């Protein structure tokens, strides 16, 4: 704890950083480093996920690492999820808006505005989450033999309790929840979910803890897709839960988690990771370019069907269509990896969309006549011409 306090105190006058990326790489991969703690001061979600992936790949097989980071506002979907099902895409910024951004300098005109919300697909499984500066993400990387879905969630619970949040616990879904007294009995709120990535030599457990998000009242609108009632999808769907801020400072939480990690594995100095040093590392930079690309974000999507009426692919009843659409308007689209396999749309030529990547359609009115194209813009998150 004392070493981390010194680190925080020193950061107020001079931000600690590695002298160059090779030192960072050597420290991570050195076989003598059995226990390591890193804290990123970047707010870039793609960079933080790429640092995390580097730690997973390059740390010694028998080592245990803790990595803490905080992201700017973003919606993060799981490795096997469908963005058209999970996210209101009309409210978020697609990765291609920023993939030419020079992250070292942040001078490019495409730098996201303060209130922009980014769309990110991570490499691990699990459901969709919202990140912002009021969340701290924690990641523990350890040998597969030591992996347990609850062990490090319990570590975070102990950290929260040490800060006075006494009614937290790990539930049967391995989430961290907060029990709050209510008139009809305790009410339970989810404050942290978890996702995992397992390889032959390493295991990763990461989660985000909701501490003091200023966006809490509006998070739901980003996570409700208007297209959801019309989509039947393979892959993983998110489980909706009540959420609540814990009401803690992010730095206090970081300090408490590092202390609990130290109690489990031995005290060790935490190291800040500077984004300028991290992005110079070729492996991290390669991983960054991979996950910020539209192909990764959209075309990793498992097969799904979008339909406005019951059919052999999706027999569920569908919501009534808006009154401004023609009564005979029908849509049936099958897609795999974000690319149209077949399409049958009223007021459109048969299979006119075959082979097209859905995220590359900038205006559905080019393919669908009448108001149907405008309605599909809204369903698929195309901002042009949305009513």
């Amino acid at each position: 704890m004392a070493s981390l306090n010194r680190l925080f105190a020193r950061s107020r006058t001079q931000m600690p950083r590695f002298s160059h990326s090779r030192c960072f790489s050597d420290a991570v991969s050195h076989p003598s480093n059995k226990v390591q703690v890193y804290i990123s001061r970047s707010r870039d979600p793609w960079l933080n996920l790429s640092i995390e992936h580097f730690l997973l790949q390059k740390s010694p097989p028998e080592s245990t690492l803790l990595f803490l980071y905080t992201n700017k506002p973003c919606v993060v979907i799981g490795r096997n999820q469908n963005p058209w099902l999970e996210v209101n895409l009309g409210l978020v910024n697609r990765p291609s808006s920023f993939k030419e951004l020079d992250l070292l300098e942040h001078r490019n005109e495409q730098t996201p505005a303060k209130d922009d919300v980014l769309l990110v697909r991570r490499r691990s499984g699990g459901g969709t989450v919202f990140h912002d500066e009021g969340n701290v993400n924690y990641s523990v990387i350890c040998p597969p033999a030591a992996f347990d879905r609850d062990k490090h969630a319990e570590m975070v619970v102990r950290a929260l309790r040490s800060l006075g949040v006494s009614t937290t616990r790990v539930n049967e879904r391995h989430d961290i929840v907060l029990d709050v007294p209510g008139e009809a009995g305790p009410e339970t709120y989810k404050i942290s979910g978890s996702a995992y990535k397992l390889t032959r030599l390493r295991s990763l457990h990461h989660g985000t803890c909701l501490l003091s998000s200023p966006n809490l009242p509006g998070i739901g609108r980003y996570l409700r897709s208007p297209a959801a009632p019309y989509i039947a999808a393979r892959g993983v769907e998110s489980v909706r839960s009540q959420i609540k801020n814990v009401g803690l400072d992010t730095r206090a939480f970081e300090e408490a988690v590092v202390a609990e990690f130290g109690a489990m594995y031995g005290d060790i100095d935490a190291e800040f990771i500077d984004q300028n040093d991290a992005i110079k590392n070729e492996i991290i930079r390669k991983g960054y370019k991979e996950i910020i690309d539209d192909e990764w974000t959209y075309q990793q999507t498992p097969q799904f069907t979008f339909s406005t009426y019951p059919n052999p692919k999706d027999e569920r009843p569908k919501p009534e269509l808006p009154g401004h659409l023609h009564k005979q308007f029908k849509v049936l689209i099958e897609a795999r990896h974000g690319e149209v396999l077949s399409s049958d749309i009223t007021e459109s030529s048969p299979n006119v969309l075959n082979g097209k990547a859905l995220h590359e359609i900038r205006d559905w009115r080019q393919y669908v006549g009448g108001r149907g194209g405008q309605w599909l813009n809204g369903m698929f998150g195309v901002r042009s011409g949305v009513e």
Side-chain angles (χ1 to χ4, degrees), residues 34 56 118 124 127 173 183 186 191 202 220 238 272 301 325 377:
K34 301 299 185 184
L56 176 69
L118 310 176
S124 61
R173 292 183 51 83
E183 292 183 1
I191 59 171
R202 305 294 275 152
S238 297
F272 282 132
T301 303
L325 294 178
N377 277 341

Side-chain angles (χ1 to χ4, degrees), residues 94 96 294 359-364 366 377 382-384:
R94 59 178 59 213
S96 59
D294 278 350
H359 71 276
E360 292 180 351
I361 297 176
R362 295 295 189 259
D363 192 340
W364 283 80
Q366 296 177 5
N377 277 341
V382 178
R383 296 182 181 182
S384 173

Side-chain angles (χ1 to χ4, degrees), residues 30-175:
H30 198 283
S32 66
N33 289 335
K34 301 299 185 184
V35 180
Q36 304 180 48
V37 178
Y38 297 100
I39 303 173
S40 173
R41 285 296 174 238
S42 173
R43 294 293 182 262
D44 185 304
W46 296 294
L47 181 58
N48 284 328
L49 286 172
S50 298
I51 294 170
E52 181 184 70
H53 191 57
F54 173 79
L55 296 174
L56 176 69
Q57 290 180 308
K58 296 301 179 180
S59 55
E62 297 305 315
S63 66
T64 302
L65 280 75
L66 172 66
F67 177 46
L68 301 175
Y69 58 95
T70 297
N71 290 328
K72 65 182 66 176
C74 57
V75 175
V76 184
I77 62 174
R79 170 69 179 82
N80 300 306
Q81 289 199 292
N82 183 324
W84 292 279
L85 175 63
E86 298 290 339
V87 184
N88 188 341
L89 293 175
L91 299 181
V92 298
N93 285 293
R94 59 178 59 213
S96 59
S97 301
F98 311 113
K99 68 181 180 182
E100 301 302 327
L101 183 65
D102 181 354
L103 288 159
L104 300 180
E105 302 295 337
H106 286 272
R107 293 174 182 168
N108 193 296
E109 292 180 357
Q110 298 181 64
T111 301
K114 184 178 179 181
D115 58 349
D116 279 340
V117 174
L118 310 176
L119 175 64
V120 180
R121 185 191 292 273
R122 63 179 181 268
R123 292 183 174 89
S124 61
T128 299
V129 292
F130 186 93
H131 291 177
D132 63 17
E133 287 85 351
N135 296 254
V136 171
N137 301 283
Y138 55 90
S139 176
V140 179
I141 301 169
C142 64
F147 174 75
D148 180 280
R149 291 180 185 270
D150 285 339
K151 179 166 65 175
H152 294 110
E154 294 285 2
M155 175 190 76
V156 174
V157 166
R158 290 194 297 274
L160 290 167
R161 289 176 177 173
S162 75
L163 296 170
V165 188
S166 60
T167 59
T168 54
R169 58 183 172 86
V170 179
N171 70 7
E172 65 282 353
R173 292 183 51 83
H174 316 292
D175 298 325

Side-chain angles (χ1 to χ4, degrees), residues 265-281:
Y265 298 105
D267 288 335
I268 187 169
D269 287 348
E271 294 285 350
F272 282 132
I273 297 177
D274 178 83
Q275 80 168 12
N276 291 351
D277 290 334
I279 201 66
K280 292 174 186 175
N281 181 285

Side-chain angles (χ1 to χ4, degrees), residues 99-370:
K99 68 181 180 182
E100 301 302 327
L101 183 65
D102 181 354
L103 288 159
L104 300 180
E105 302 295 337
H106 286 272
R107 293 174 182 168
N108 193 296
E109 292 180 357
Q110 298 181 64
T111 301
K114 184 178 179 181
D115 58 349
D116 279 340
V117 174
L118 310 176
L119 175 64
V120 180
R121 185 191 292 273
R122 63 179 181 268
R123 292 183 174 89
S124 61
T128 299
V129 292
F130 186 93
H131 291 177
D132 63 17
E133 287 85 351
N135 296 254
V136 171
N137 301 283
Y138 55 90
S139 176
V140 179
I141 301 169
C142 64
F147 174 75
D148 180 280
R149 291 180 185 270
D150 285 339
K151 179 166 65 175
H152 294 110
E154 294 285 2
M155 175 190 76
V156 174
V157 166
R158 290 194 297 274
L160 290 167
R161 289 176 177 173
S162 75
L163 296 170
V165 188
S166 60
T167 59
T168 54
R169 58 183 172 86
V170 179
N171 70 7
E172 65 282 353
R173 292 183 51 83
H174 316 292
D175 298 325
I176 300 175
V177 297
L178 176 68
D179 294 322
V180 178
E183 292 183 1
E187 297 180 3
T188 300
Y189 296 87
K190 181 177 176 179
I191 59 171
S192 178
S194 293
Y196 314 93
K197 184 175 179 63
L198 306 178
T199 70
R200 184 174 62 86
L201 295 177
R202 305 294 275 152
S203 63
L204 179 149
H205 167 195
H206 60 181
T208 183
C209 196
L210 190 56
L211 301 173
S212 55
S213 170
N215 297 296
L216 189 68
I219 288 176
R221 70 191 188 106
Y222 293 101
L223 306 183
R224 286 192 290 269
S225 167
Y230 306 99
I231 290 179
R234 299 178 184 177
V236 177
E237 288 192 39
S238 297
V239 177
R240 309 294 174 182
S241 303
Q242 290 189 105
I243 58 175
K244 188 177 183 67
N245 276 324
V246 175
L248 292 175
D249 175 73
T250 57
R251 290 294 182 93
F253 175 79
E254 288 176 344
E255 188 171 340
V257 172
V258 171
E260 290 298 332
F261 183 81
M264 294 175 69
Y265 298 105
D267 288 335
I268 187 169
D269 287 348
E271 294 285 350
F272 282 132
I273 297 177
D274 178 83
Q275 80 168 12
N276 291 351
D277 290 334
I279 201 66
K280 292 174 186 175
N281 181 285
E282 290 186 9
I283 297 174
I284 294 175
R285 196 176 189 93
K286 179 181 177 182
Y288 186 99
K289 290 180 178 179
E290 177 184 85
I291 64 171
I292 200 173
D293 193 81
D294 278 350
E295 181 177 348
W296 170 262
T297 306
Y298 297 101
Q299 295 187 268
Q300 295 294 320
T301 303
Q303 187 165 332
F304 72 98
T305 300
F306 178 96
S307 59
T308 59
Y309 59 94
N311 61 83
K313 298 288 185 180
D314 181 9
E315 298 179 349
R316 299 172 303 163
K318 301 296 187 294
E320 185 175 344
L321 294 176
H324 65 267
L325 294 178
H326 192 281
K327 290 184 179 180
Q328 303 303 316
F329 181 71
K330 290 185 176 182
V331 180
L332 176 60
I333 298 171
E334 288 187 75
R336 183 172 59 202
H337 303 313
E339 187 174 287
V340 177
L341 296 175
S342 64
S343 61
D344 186 5
I345 307 175
T346 307
E347 302 171 352
S348 174
S349 302
N351 294 317
V352 67
L353 296 172
N354 286 17
K356 295 190 180 299
L358 289 169
H359 71 276
E360 292 180 351
I361 297 176
R362 295 295 189 259
D363 192 340
W364 283 80
R365 293 173 298 181
Q366 296 177 5
Y367 307 100
V368 182

